[in-house]
Amino acid sequence: MLDPLSPTAAVQRPSTVQSQAWMDRARINLLQNYKQQPVVLERGQGTRVWDADGREYLDLLGGIATLPFGHCHPEITAAAKAQLDKLWHVSNVFYSEPQIALAEKLLQLSGLDRAFFCNSGAEANEALLKMARKAQKDRGQTERVEFICFERSFHGRTLATVTATGQPKYQKGFEPLPPGFLHVPYGDFEAVRRVVGPRTAAILVEPIQGEGGVHPAPEGFLVALRALCDKEGLFLLVDEVQTGLGRTGVDFAFQRAGIRPDGFSLAKGLANGLPIGAMVCTEEAGHALVPGTHGSTFGGNPVTAAAALATLTLASQPAQLASNRSKGEYFLTALRTLQAELPGQVAAVRGQGLLLGVELAFDAGPIVGRMREQGVLCNLAGERTIRFAPAYLVTHEEMDRGVLALRRALTAGASSDFRPAI
Ligand SMILES: Cc1ncc(COP(=O)(O)O)c(C=O)c1O
């Protein structure tokens, strides 16, 4: 049998001439604000991508959770293409059908009342924050302007959302940051209770901290936050940008806790790779954003909305959600077996459904590189955590292949270039 990680089985190794030429041009022409992996990806199908030199990779990152149904899924592609031939864009000066149908589907699945569309996760979170402040003012609670957020969180890169983000490394150099954002340790309900006061407007929380290293909320945390918000008259805002769309095995991760937020944000996988964001909210909170208070030129664009409706229709099938849960369990178990084999290297394995993180006992950057050399793509969440967010189409064999690549990358660690950070 062929070794699944051998060059002949999956990864051919022709010259890197094409890739190198593109990377040289990128270095000259693109803003140097990313630290890209040295791969130029040219095409994709399902869970596979090919680089400019024809090498094939197994994509276990899925565009950082933006591709629930993998690359170029035929039904979603057909929905977008049909809309491309019909109507590209009209702006929100007019109504257009796809965004109305998409809103209906989101409300049906979430049990909330109103949807607003934008283009990214940061924008969707920005809408949540603006809505909460305005809704408190409309209630006569003009002092309630502050947000309680969490350490290690990630909410986006605009000035407000990077301030909500609980990681100083993303904020450094952009001071002065807008006032009104407090941070407390994630999962520490007592700490939240201590900082709630007459100026608090809302709590913003991720059900699983994705960028922060794939940390699920402790049992009971979201329920406790909901009860606190009800008691104190605060809005509970849930950031589902990374966790929504069935990735954790339920439509939206807050449903696992059985709560109803006042608003939640979506983006990433909603249109299976086309740019879109959404804020979904209750009537009471959303009522605050009357005409003129908020908007987005491209929000609800017909093509992305058509792709999103096709994605959501597939993602919300009960069989799909069950499959995500069972595949997630399989992957988690395999990664935990690896942890038991290599306890000195694998510090923790965390996650829900198909959003998983493997925390190493050292800087995980070189390990991601070693996995890529074996034809498997993933990335870091934090410095030490390898993140897997594959397409829901991922097979058991592909998950095995990912674990095998990780095992080999870790055990190659005996070599001299392998330097544990502690
Ligand atoms: C939980 C969460 N919120 C918000 C964002 C920001 O989304 P975007 O990059 O689309 O603005 C991200 C992106 O990684 C995220 O993971």
Side-chain angles (χ1 to χ4, degrees), residues 19 30 110 126 158 162 164 231 233 272 296 364 382 384 400 403-404:
S19 295
L30 293 180
S110 65
E126 191 86 27
T158 63
V162 87
K231 181 161 164 272
N272 206 53
S296 163
R384 296 181 168 206
D400 289 345
V403 177
L404 181 57

Side-chain angles (χ1 to χ4, degrees), residues 64 119-123 125 154-157 206 208 210-211 239-243 265 267-268 276 387:
I64 321 184
N119 312 286
S120 69
E123 260 188 276
N125 286 331
F154 188 87
H155 298 295
R157 306 285 196 153
E206 291 163 273
I208 300 176
E211 296 300 312
D239 183 335
E240 288 270 357
V241 166
Q242 196 151 155
T243 49
S265 54
K268 286 202 183 279
I276 187 170
R387 170 176 34 198

Side-chain angles (χ1 to χ4, degrees), residues 150 184-190 192 203 205-207 216-227 236 257 259:
F150 293 93
V184 297
Y186 187 60
D188 185 344
F189 179 66
E190 282 312 310
V192 180
I203 297 175
V205 64
E206 291 163 273
E219 193 73 33
F221 186 55
L222 295 180
V223 174
L225 292 182
R226 176 70 275 176
L236 180 62
I259 59 154

Side-chain angles (χ1 to χ4, degrees), residues 88-108:
W88 281 34
H89 192 62
V90 291
S91 86
N92 289 297
V93 170
F94 307 99
Y95 294 103
S96 60
E97 294 163 11
Q99 76 161 288
I100 299 168
L102 177 60
E104 285 169 352
K105 185 81 183 161
L106 282 171
L107 303 183
Q108 176 218 326

Side-chain angles (χ1 to χ4, degrees), residues 107 110-116 128 131-132 135 139 226 230 234-238 254 259-265 279-289:
L107 303 183
S110 65
L112 271 68
D113 307 315
R114 300 272 169 189
F116 161 77
L128 284 175
M131 176 183 74
R139 282 174 172 176
R226 176 70 275 176
D230 289 342
L234 315 178
F235 292 110
L236 180 62
L237 312 175
V238 178
F254 64 75
I259 59 154
R260 185 175 191 255
D262 298 292
F264 70 95
S265 54
M279 178 191 75
V280 183
C281 60
T282 61
E283 182 70 39
E284 202 249 325
H287 190 67
L289 295 180

